Amino acid sequence: KGAMGMEDALINLEKVSDLDSSQLAAMRDRAVELSGTMPIAASEILNLMAAASRFGIAAADLEEFSLMAAKAAVAFDMDPASASESLSKLKNSYELTIDELGLLGDAINHTADSAGTSEAMLINFLTRVGSSAKSFGISAQDAASYGATLQEMGFTAERSGTAFNAMIAKMPTLTDKKKVVAVLDAVGGKGYSESLQQKFFNQPVEAMNELFKTSQKMTKEQRAGFFLEFFGLEYGDDAAAITEAIDTIIGRQEDLADTSKHVGSVQRTYDKFASTTSAKLKILRQNLSNVANAIGAKFLPGIVAFSDRISKTIASLENRVTVFDRIGTRVRGFLEGLGLEGDSVKEQFDSLW
């Protein structure tokens, strides 16, 4: 069974990648090698590689990426293939190198632990806002500060992502409405709204942070009118939540800006989980399974050939003339010779009376 699972996983990798036979064999051997030291099965590692290939991770980066994703899966408590897919999407959305993706993984692990959210939810948020954030020059780390804080306040990944995208989309229209301009200029001084809008195009995160800091200075009446005019009924509550938490958001951004505080976070968390008794026992079982799979793989060609022969035999039964067919034909001929009609013996006896 284990050997067949490995075979299926390898075929899945072959289907979604451009690896040749020698490269596939090398990836298979690498998966087996990693499963001997990590609490992840070899077939899961191959599926992880397949997920990465499906989302565009180059063959040259596949081994390095897979090791990173495997450790992240353990550290983030995620399914290996899901972790691989999520990290692949982040790499693509923010156009990151493998090293930059590793630093982002550390930032996600560090932030999720401190914010009371999960890495999976934070990654979900980051993939939702990736395109818009990247288009305005907002880093994943700065976006994560917003997402983690909103999720800490009870926002789902979907709602926090939608809210952040709405904030980004609204910022370039800051001076489009007179009531919005009037409130901002009343608080920040004449021409403040115009300068804040221009700042967004050059320093988007700083401008967004400043907007919500300025909102804190508004009276309740000014703030209510500003949120309604600028963000609308749909996102007014979300903007109010960000305003209340903007100091926490800025604090997280400053914390993540100092990479020394979180670099290596995934590795440290992985090491803790990989050193548990349950992880060690899983690794032991995998080493035993790897030996059994290697033996089982030698029997697969014979099993396939035998299965093919049996399947062909069964499939052709309907086309074969059996001894029962010959008996039935002769009985019908005998009965017809007696002038009796009908297919069954019972029908023939019934017709005599």
Side-chain angles (χ1 to χ4, degrees):
K1 183 178 179 180
M4 289 187 289
M6 282 288 291
E7 183 182 44
D8 291 342
L10 195 62
I11 290 174
N12 187 34
L13 176 58
E14 181 181 16
K15 182 180 70 173
V16 298
S17 70
D18 56 0
L19 299 175
D20 59 32
S21 58
S22 62
Q23 290 173 316
L24 284 168
M27 290 302 173
R28 177 199 61 210
D29 293 343
R30 182 58 172 156
V32 171
E33 180 185 359
L34 289 176
S35 71
T37 59
M38 303 180 73
I40 302 178
S43 59
E44 290 181 306
I45 295 174
L46 286 174
N47 287 330
L48 179 156
M49 292 177 176
S53 294
R54 188 177 295 110
F55 285 92
I57 300 300
D61 296 328
L62 192 56
E63 184 174 342
E64 182 181 4
F65 174 88
S66 297
L67 179 59
M68 177 197 306
K71 290 182 178 180
V74 175
F76 297 169
D77 192 23
M78 293 178 67
D79 171 75
S82 297
S84 177
E85 178 179 331
S86 297
L87 291 176
S88 298
K89 289 179 179 179
L90 287 180
K91 183 180 184 301
N92 295 336
S93 295
Y94 295 94
E95 299 179 5
L96 304 174
T97 65
I98 296 293
D99 288 342
E100 289 170 339
L101 181 62
L103 287 174
L104 176 57
D106 288 335
I108 290 170
N109 190 61
H110 174 76
T111 303
D113 288 345
S114 65
T117 186
S118 69
E119 289 85 356
M121 279 188 63
L122 192 50
I123 290 172
N124 191 332
F125 166 83
L126 288 173
T127 55
R128 289 176 183 275
V129 306
S131 297
S132 54
K134 178 64 180 176
S135 65
F136 284 104
I138 299 173
S139 72
Q141 283 84 344
D142 283 333
S145 299
Y146 272 86
T149 304
L150 287 171
Q151 289 171 12
E152 189 175 39
M153 298 170 70
F155 281 52
T156 63
E158 180 179 6
R159 184 183 173 190
S160 57
T162 301
F164 187 76
N165 281 331
M167 304 301 126
I168 295 175
K170 291 286 186 180
M171 286 300 293
T173 68
L174 198 59
T175 59
D176 287 2
K177 293 185 178 181
K178 292 182 179 179
K179 290 183 179 180
V180 172
V181 171
V183 172
L184 286 173
D185 288 358
V187 177
K190 185 177 181 180
Y192 175 68
S193 57
E194 179 68 31
S195 65
L196 188 58
Q197 181 173 332
Q198 289 303 313
K199 185 176 184 178
F200 175 73
F201 294 113
N202 298 311
Q203 298 174 290
V205 174
E206 290 79 358
M208 288 178 65
N209 292 347
E210 186 176 335
L211 174 68
F212 292 111
K213 288 291 290 182
T214 301
S215 299
Q216 290 181 332
K217 300 175 184 178
M218 298 176 184
T219 65
K220 291 183 179 179
E221 292 76 13
Q222 285 177 323
R223 189 184 302 178
F226 174 70
F227 286 163
L228 180 61
E229 285 295 320
F230 188 50
F231 296 110
L233 287 173
E234 187 175 3
Y235 300 110
D237 289 344
D238 299 339
I242 292 175
T243 299
E244 293 298 322
I246 190 61
D247 291 330
T248 301
I249 291 171
I250 293 173
R252 285 204 165 100
Q253 290 170 348
E254 292 172 348
D255 179 58
L256 289 178
D258 183 359
T259 57
S260 66
K261 292 183 178 181
H262 61 264
V263 67
S265 176
V266 170
Q267 181 67 51
R268 288 191 294 272
T269 303
Y270 166 80
D271 288 341
K272 290 178 182 178
F273 280 114
S275 64
T276 63
T277 302
S278 60
K280 294 297 184 182
L281 288 174
K282 185 175 182 180
I283 293 171
L284 174 60
R285 289 194 298 269
Q286 286 168 185
N287 276 293
L288 295 173
S289 294
N290 288 340
V291 174
N293 292 344
I295 297 171
K298 298 181 183 300
F299 292 97
L300 291 182
I303 293 173
V304 170
F306 176 74
S307 298
D308 285 344
R309 286 197 298 271
I310 294 297
S311 296
K312 289 177 181 178
T313 300
I314 293 173
S316 65
L317 285 179
E318 292 185 357
N319 299 323
R320 297 189 179 194
V321 178
T322 68
V323 65
F324 301 106
D325 295 323
R326 291 194 291 270
I327 291 173
T329 300
R330 292 177 182 178
V331 169
R332 281 193 296 273
F334 173 72
L335 292 173
E336 288 173 2
L338 295 177
L340 300 175
E341 299 179 355
D343 291 332
S344 71
V345 173
K346 181 179 182 301
E347 289 175 344
Q348 307 312 320
F349 277 102
D350 289 342
S351 67
L352 293 175
W353 304 102

